[in-house]
Amino acid sequence: MSERAAAAATGVAAVAARTLNKTFGGVQALRAASFAAHAGEVHALVGENGAGKSTLIKILGGRFPPDSGTILLDGEPVRFSGPADATRRGIGTVFQELTLLPWLTVAENLLFGREPRGAGGLIRRASLATDAEAVLARLGISHIDPRAQVAEISLSERQIVEIARVVTKKPRILFLDEPTSSLVEREVAWLFERIRELRALGTAIVFTSHRWNEITSIADRITIYRNGSEVGTFTEIEEGEAITLMTGRRVDALYPKLPLLSAGAKDMLALTEATIPGLATPIGQPASDLSFHLRAGEILGIGGLAGQGHRELFLGLFGAPPLARGKIAVGGKPLRIHRPSHAINAGLGIALVPEDRKTEGLLLPLSVRYNLTLPILRRISRVGVIRAPTEGRMSREIITALGVRTPSAAQRVGALSGGNQQKVLVGRWLLAESRILLLYDVTRGVDVATRHEIYDLIMRLAGEERAILLYSSDTEELAHLCHRVLVLRDGRVAAELVPPVLTAEAIVSASMRQARAA
Amino acid sequence: MNNLVRLFTTRDVLRVYAAYGAAILLFIIGALVHPGFASLPSVTTILLISSFIGMVAAGQCFVVLIGGIDLSVPWVLNAAAILLATASLGQNGRALYAILLTLGMGGLAGLANGIFVVWFEVPAVVMTLAMNGIVEGLTLGLSSGMTCGACASYAPPIVQQAVHGVFLGIPTALWLWLVIIIIVSFALSFTRFGRATYAIGNNPRAAFLAGVNVNLTTVALYVLSGVFSALAGILLVGFGGQASLGMGDPYLFQSIAAVVIGGVSILGGSGLYVGAAAGAISLTALVSVLLALNMPEYGRSIIYGLVILALLLLYGREERQ
């Protein structure tokens, strides 16, 4: 890395920013921000959520202009008139939020604006799919059908199509804003292979990620952002030191210590011979059946490749929609869960923290209080009328207990930081006195500092003898946060890993073995 | 203390102030162009007319709060007026029966709207528009175009007296509206039902995952909308004495306009009924001012449209979080 980095540091930067400022509605996203990336280097841009990474990328990608400051391409100051202008100048950007048109096919999206033309300039629909197939094949993608509608393919497949669409335009400078957050291990490996190819061709690649192992495995240089400005650029830096620079405070250990699991801990949740709804069963195999026990104080991890039924399992245990078949027992008592209210009010109380707190978890425009008490309104109201004093007291208590940083319980949840939003979401279930927590990828897209707060919270919840079922797209995290991990394949348990064989490598290899067999 | 200040300065509340401010401003303008415009009898009349719009707007407000809409207002209202007259045959003895039957009919139309929107996932615009057509057809068919014998009936005198009656110097219809304003506002702000309504309007999926019974609440809201349309129909026939064809037509546009002027987000999730009530008053005051200015019908129509457009530009542009 050092050789390339040294070469990079001397030449003229392919893309650079000088003293950029940008304010959104009173919030200064960038303050005198600087940045430089060279041809033929992979440059990681890291920082907490809100540090200004995405804003920088959007400005350098021509999405919107800075309030002040200079953008330089090969040392020449430029001013983009819009994204199309940036594209013409050889800049490709994969934005964090997906930009594909959901009702068009993969092929139509992939070749948008560059469709094969026939007589009279009309699009040759017949060759659209085959052209797209060829484009995908060149990039080593064979599992995505170019004729499929984008709305029908998975989130990770959409992300891949998004990346493919930008990469095929052969940009000189490529920006990737959190490209791996919705990808699984195997797909990340695919992406990194493409990145290495582009680097060899002399492309400047800038990417953001919250996953440190990804950053160190591919980045030549790392630029750290905090509060809208550059803190420093490094060729080599320890994770601990980087986190300190990102947050401005020290973080002790990467992963917290797991609370001890007592031998006699009682069963909280038992699932027997369940069938995941909507999961295609490989021909010649019986319908999926899935069984496990979850004990008090236990953190049980669920791992495996995407699309193996994790999401359906978590939603199924919560009745949204219910599992197709199988028995659920809560605290030893059999129970039917047809909708979330059944789960919430089940004996020990089941809670689901969904992956996307903004679209599935919280009601962002509503107050912290409204969000906290929504599942327990029945308990705090009399003949349908909410007892306001009780509600106020309960929400204040939980805000204090979890250390939610908010001016008051009347504050809009959308105005809180990501970590505090996550706390409100967890706090909701503490109020509901849920003893069984289903945590689905709760750290996805969460910055390092907040992530540690969430880890500590999970440990605390387990320490309070709550039972936790945890899914994470980050295998490292699964390996370190769980007492036990079940690896799923085709909606069934393919491997059960316990220490000392509970490692990220073991989880990955268990998932991969299945992939090959499938 | 600070919290209290914040409570009375939220966006929703500021919009309510704006709607009342607009109403007051229009009364002042009216008084300037036409002496006597702000006299007590004139104001009372304007408020009385507003109350009919306001009742329809109560139902419209409920469904708009969850991002829905009720386009079946005109003919549910019209059918209600006709049903009240024909079922009562203008007799006081049958008045209660006719009123309950009529409200039930409105609720039933709303129930059908709700069921199709929820379980058959028909978009609210399509479903309620279709319902408007269906109710229109049923009404015209069953009354043979208002030529049936009972159709010529007047509203029972007791209903007419109730609408025209005055209690403590204020028409009873206005008292009724005041009660409705209080009940609807209370329901929206202090009950589980209200909480569920705002939750669904903001994000049905998140509301569902928080244990809210989204389907049942949605159906209930459409039922309420139907009932409020029917109630307005009853009061209108009591006010005018007789039902007529097409009497519900203005109320679709006016109820939506009142809701929007009152600051309820047309996309759902935010707004207060007290605002929609102020919207109804502003709208009526606006029409009255234009009448006082001798503005012809087409001119009033254009101004109506422009006001709605301006408000949507003003209120609809805010970023959805």
Side-chain angles (χ1 to χ4, degrees), chain A residues 315 318 320 339-341 344 358-363 365-366 370 373-375 377-378 381 384-386 391 408 412 428-429, chain B residues 3 6-7 186 188-193 195-196 198-200 202-213 269 320-321:
Chain A
L315 289 173
F318 203 58
R339 56 166 175 268
S341 55
I344 295 165
K358 289 187 172 150
T359 60
E360 296 201 295
L362 295 169
L363 300 152
L366 298 184
Y370 275 34
T373 58
L374 199 54
L377 288 179
R378 191 185 295 273
S381 51
V385 179
I386 297 162
E391 185 185 30
S408 81
R412 273 190 320 113
R428 164 193 284 182
W429 300 116
Chain B
N3 286 343
R6 203 174 297 124
L7 197 63
F186 181 81
L188 283 178
S189 299
F190 299 105
T191 67
R192 275 204 291 142
F193 170 72
R195 246 358 127 70
Y198 285 109
I200 296 167
N202 274 289
N203 184 338
R205 175 74 181 163
F208 174 66
L209 289 179
V212 172
N213 195 333
R320 286 271 292 172
Q321 295 279 335

Side-chain angles (χ1 to χ4, degrees), chain A residues 33-346:
Chain A
S34 54
F35 180 77
H38 291 77
E41 78 160 332
V42 177
H43 200 128
L45 188 56
V46 300
E48 290 187 89
N49 285 342
K53 305 178 305 264
S54 292
T55 308
L56 177 71
I57 285 181
K58 282 175 184 163
I59 289 175
L60 295 180
R63 178 87 156 255
F64 43 66
D67 295 339
S68 65
T70 321
I71 302 167
L72 302 157
L73 290 186
D74 301 319
E76 296 292 320
V78 290
R79 205 178 286 270
F80 300 126
S81 62
D85 187 23
T87 308
R88 269 194 301 280
R89 295 172 191 266
I91 294 172
T93 312
V94 177
F95 293 106
Q96 198 173 345
E97 55 278 21
L98 300 181
T99 59
L100 299 177
L101 303 166
W103 307 114
L104 297 185
T105 64
V106 168
E108 284 165 331
N109 269 287
L110 195 62
L111 300 175
F112 195 83
R114 301 176 294 151
E115 299 88 350
R117 304 281 172 161
L122 296 175
I123 293 172
R124 289 190 1 248
R125 296 202 59 89
S127 50
L128 196 61
T130 48
D131 282 19
E133 211 152 25
V135 167
L136 291 174
R138 267 201 297 283
L139 293 171
I141 306 163
S142 55
H143 66 292
I144 300 175
D145 179 8
R147 290 164 194 86
Q149 223 176 39
V150 164
E152 291 166 355
I153 65 176
S154 74
L155 192 62
S156 63
E157 287 169 340
R158 280 184 225 184
Q159 179 71 49
I160 286 174
V161 173
E162 191 95 25
I163 293 167
R165 181 168 67 162
V166 174
V167 166
T168 48
K169 290 181 193 163
K170 300 207 168 52
R172 225 157 43 76
I173 300 155
L174 175 64
F175 291 105
L176 300 155
D177 196 359
E178 275 198 45
T180 59
S181 68
S182 53
L183 300 184
V184 294
E185 223 100 355
R186 186 178 39 158
E187 296 161 331
V188 172
W190 166 83
L191 173 64
F192 283 7
E193 224 168 281
R194 300 287 85 74
I195 290 181
R196 290 197 186 92
E197 283 171 14
L198 290 167
R199 172 166 68 187
L201 293 170
T203 311
I205 298 134
V206 180
F207 80 103
T208 68
S209 171
H210 287 305
R211 297 175 184 168
W212 192 256
N213 58 345
E214 289 178 6
I215 294 165
T216 48
S217 75
I218 195 155
D220 299 312
R221 290 199 299 162
I222 299 166
T223 291
I224 297 177
Y225 258 60
R226 182 170 81 220
N227 290 336
S229 349
E230 182 184 349
V231 184
T233 296
F234 307 86
T235 50
E236 222 142 327
I237 183 168
E238 287 292 316
E239 176 170 16
E241 196 188 335
I243 293 174
T244 309
L245 287 173
M246 277 186 250
T247 60
R249 54 182 182 273
R250 277 218 69 79
V251 177
D252 304 327
L254 231 40
Y255 291 100
K257 226 174 109 56
L258 282 177
L260 276 180
L261 191 56
S262 58
K266 64 173 197 294
D267 256 5
M268 301 273 271
L269 178 71
L271 183 67
T272 352
E273 297 183 344
T275 299
I276 305 281
L279 200 66
T281 309
I283 296 160
Q285 282 188 30
S288 66
D289 81 79
L290 181 58
S291 306
F292 64 77
H293 289 260
L294 176 61
R295 295 187 293 161
E298 184 180 28
I299 305 174
L300 175 59
I302 301 288
L305 300 172
Q308 302 300 311
H310 310 96
R311 190 178 152 78
E312 292 80 2
L313 169 65
F314 276 69
L315 289 173
L317 288 170
F318 203 58
L323 294 164
R325 198 172 60 88
K327 295 190 188 76
I328 299 173
V330 175
K333 284 194 211 105
L335 197 72
R336 292 185 167 279
I337 297 175
H338 291 303
R339 56 166 175 268
S341 55
H342 296 162
I344 295 165
N345 299 310

